[in-house]
């Protein structure tokens, strides 16, 4: 599975890797500090299965990045990660797979993967 995490915080990236490895020790998520780095990587094959995207990136809007990602890879599951629930409508309008409020917990990441699997089975 190709997993991406986009957050400008190195600590958040490290914690996310730990959470994913707790879920499945074989998975190796790709981490990005900017939306532009994420979008460039998204153009490479295979497509990301799932992207965990911070809504608050310096000089970038997570919703804008998600909209561009949708054009590159419409099948990629997008999970917004935020500090508050104020951008839930943005996530909804972009057909986000899930919406997580920091700090991220293993159970929430597992739920995002369950939702992705459920969509793929339809």
């Amino acid at each position: 599975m190709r997993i991406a995490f986009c957050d400008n915080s190195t600590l958040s990236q490290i914690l996310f890797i730990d959470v994913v490895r707790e879920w499945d020790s074989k998975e190796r998520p790709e981490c990005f500090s900017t939306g532009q780095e994420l979008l460039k990587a998204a153009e490479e094959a295979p497509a990301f299965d799932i992207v965990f995207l911070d809504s608050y990136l310096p000089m970038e809007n997570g919703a804008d990045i998600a909209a561009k990602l949708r054009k590159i890879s419409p099948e990629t599951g997008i999970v917004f990660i935020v500090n508050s629930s104020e951008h839930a409508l943005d996530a909804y309008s972009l057909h986000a797979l899930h919406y997580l409020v920091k700090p991220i917990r293993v159970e929430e990441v597992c739920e995002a993967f369950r939702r992705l699997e459920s969509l793929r089975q339809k």
Side-chain angles (χ1 to χ4, degrees), residues 2-44:
R2 191 166 183 216
I3 303 167
F5 181 77
C6 186
D7 190 315
N8 64 306
S9 164
T10 303
L11 178 58
S12 291
Q13 291 178 10
I14 291 167
L15 292 174
F16 180 77
I17 290 169
D18 289 345
V19 166
V20 170
R21 288 189 179 154
E22 194 170 325
W23 168 70
D24 185 337
S25 62
K26 296 181 291 286
E27 293 295 343
R28 300 289 183 254
E30 299 174 49
C31 293
F32 304 94
S33 297
T34 70
Q36 296 308 310
E37 291 173 357
L38 170 68
L39 293 172
K40 184 176 179 182
E43 293 175 346
E44 300 170 7

Side-chain angles (χ1 to χ4, degrees), residues 55-102:
S55 289
Y56 300 105
L57 296 166
M59 302 179 353
E60 295 177 301
N61 179 311
D64 293 341
I65 298 301
K68 291 175 184 175
L69 180 61
R70 277 274 174 254
K71 291 179 182 174
I72 294 169
S73 179
E75 298 301 315
T76 297
I78 298 173
V79 178
F80 282 102
I81 300 175
V82 296
N83 292 321
S84 72
S85 59
E86 74 180 72
H87 292 287
L89 288 178
D90 289 339
Y92 180 77
S93 69
L94 291 163
H95 307 286
L97 179 66
H98 206 359
Y99 185 89
L100 305 179
V101 178
K102 291 180 181 179

